[in-house]
Amino acid sequence: MATMQVEVVSPERMLFSGEATQVITRTLGGGEIAFLPGHAPFLGALVENHTRITLADGAVLDLAVHGGFVQVSGTTVSILSDQAELAEQIDRQRAMAARDRAEEILRREHDAEASAALARAHARLNATGGLGTAAGAH
Amino acid sequence: MAGGQERILRGRIRTVQATKKITRAMELIAASRIVKAQQRVAAAVPYSEQITEVVKDLAAAGGASQSPLLAGRDVVKTTAYVVITADRGLCGGYNAGVQRAAEGEIKAGVLNGADYSIIAIGRKAEGYFRFRGYRIGATFAGFSDNPTYAHAKEIGQHVMDLYVRGEVDRVELVYTRFISAGSQEVVQRPLVPLDRATVAGGDGKGVDAAGVAADFEFEPDPGTILDTLLPRYVEARIYAALLNAAASEHAFRQRAMKSATDNAEELIKSLSRIMNRARQDSITTEIMEIVGGAEALGGDAKKVRYVELGPLSNDGFDGYLDIRPASALAATAVGVLEPDDIEEILGIGPVIGAHLREQGVTTFAQIAAWTPEDAARIGDEIDFPGRVEREEWIEQARRLQADKYGN
């Protein structure tokens, strides 16, 4: 099966680099998009999202990507992000607490910072197995 | 006096040794941090390379961005200088180099009627410019030896705000680029506005466009992507500069502390030499004083010596007598008795008599007091071994002594 080189790069280090067969992420205004090997050259800005990378051996790598860019050229998919976390690095309890806090604030007033925090928390929770059952309506 | 000087020198040596311990520790710490800092510089390269590539792709695609960061000003009135130095000193010429470069630029600009704004990164830059009466726009400090991306982001946000609000028309980065552990250089790089040349520069290795930019799909449109990308790009540039500066700082500190340690060693060596000389001088002086004092006391001292040395010669301390035979023998009588005509002793002629007198032997009593060892030694000295005993000088001397003085 054809594979492509996938790199997830943050300013401080290379987060992930390896062979994969599929990458699913979410672009600004475009919704979720999946890349398979041989995808046409592509450049997109990303929103907070749960990115899934299907590795060559079939395993799926979950990441929370907090904004950034995706570039596809030739056989390489690069995800550039200020802040990206592998699922195993995410503290789910903390993300839940952050979400509850942000929702609490948003119920009272519209606050840009709180919405951003909520988006980040959602990305983290999605990457670690869904939004969960904690209180709070979406 | 000499003793006091010695004590002072000992104190100074201790001080230098304590300083040396500190500088040595700092040298080792800096050396280990260089490696880490270097790794961080290397770890930041992929992002910086890729973001440059993306910007290039966008530019090639004709991404018509309205981003103010790309729009240069026709008239550059105010230039902001982001001066990256350390928070601490003790790193040789590291801070001075950056400060001098920035100050030179500012002065040149002022001469041409331009205004400036200083964004001081690191306490040293702030202190330097504040002391010299420059206006400081903003200060970011406390992370010079271990910057994170969040710091770069904060600085970037501030700089871009200034530019977008029109408070400054140009932003320049002044920092120390880390080439290798042995070589760093102060550089000045334009940061904002971004132009094609700026994009190609930077500390990431220039990525040469291998193929002509393919027909990219964009989502959303290139302009919007570029708008969100450019701030990231500025931040990445600042981050790279911060990392370079941190690595350079450690390299400078390591070198400075190494030479400080070497100097301390030199100083300890020369101070010890001076101290040893002072100590020897004081010992010599002491001996001279004792000897001089004894001599000055004259006859009294000699009488005392007679009492002390008498038993020694009788007990047959040959070794002692061999060292100073003349004075030992002389001391047994000189000043106590008048000289006798020792040539009355059969066997002692003018030649041997003169020899004995040279040694201070001038009386019968002295000869009478000789031990067998003395007799043997004198025999050897006059080249007639056994002659003293054969001719019974000692017995003759006793007789003559008894004849002359009675008893």
Side-chain angles (χ1 to χ4, degrees), chain B residues 266-345:
Chain B
E266 274 301 305
L267 202 53
I268 289 170
K269 218 189 270 171
S270 70
L271 281 175
S272 317
R273 212 165 279 152
I274 295 170
M275 188 190 72
N276 287 341
R277 182 156 303 156
R279 198 186 57 217
Q280 280 170 359
D281 278 355
S282 77
I283 291 171
T284 308
T285 312
E286 249 170 64
I287 291 174
M288 295 298 278
E289 279 166 1
I290 293 169
V291 170
E295 221 122 278
L297 285 175
D300 287 352
K302 282 170 186 161
K303 234 185 236 167
V304 171
R305 253 193 264 163
Y306 172 61
V307 174
E308 282 177 354
L309 292 176
L312 273 182
S313 59
N314 288 335
D315 290 346
F317 276 89
D318 290 313
Y320 188 78
L321 290 170
D322 279 346
I323 294 168
R324 305 191 293 181
S327 64
L329 285 170
T332 54
V334 172
V336 180
L337 298 169
E338 279 180 16
D340 300 313
D341 184 4
I342 54 172
E343 283 171 35
E344 279 184 46
I345 294 170

Side-chain angles (χ1 to χ4, degrees), chain A residues 7 12 27 43 71 78 82, chain B residues 50 57 149 153 217 219:
Chain A
E7 287 173 355
E12 297 188 349
T27 61
L43 245 178
Q71 183 192 32
S78 310
D82 284 7
Chain B
Q50 297 219 15
D57 286 342
Y149 190 73
K153 209 164 178 165
E217 282 175 41
E219 197 174 294

Side-chain angles (χ1 to χ4, degrees), chain B residues 37-61:
Chain B
Q38 232 172 328
Q39 283 165 353
R40 277 161 58 89
V41 171
V45 167
Y47 184 83
S48 137
E49 263 179 11
Q50 297 219 15
I51 205 158
T52 308
E53 201 178 335
V54 171
V55 171
K56 276 185 176 163
D57 286 342
L58 282 165

Side-chain angles (χ1 to χ4, degrees), chain A residues 7 9-14 27-31 33 39-45 69 71-73 78-82, chain B residues 43-44 46-47 50-51 53-54 57-58 148-150 153 214-220 224-225 228-229 232 235 239:
Chain A
E7 287 173 355
V9 189
S10 80
E12 297 188 349
R13 66 203 177 97
M14 176 89 70
T27 61
L28 185 64
I33 183 166
H39 195 283
F42 181 91
L43 245 178
F69 307 91
Q71 183 192 32
V72 183
S73 65
S78 310
I79 293 177
L80 302 174
S81 175
D82 284 7
Chain B
Y47 184 83
Q50 297 219 15
I51 205 158
E53 201 178 335
V54 171
D57 286 342
L58 282 165
T148 66
Y149 190 73
K153 209 164 178 165
D215 289 330
F216 274 93
E217 282 175 41
F218 295 99
E219 197 174 294
T224 314
I225 298 178
T228 53
L229 185 68
R232 300 292 91 72
E235 286 159 12
Y239 183 59

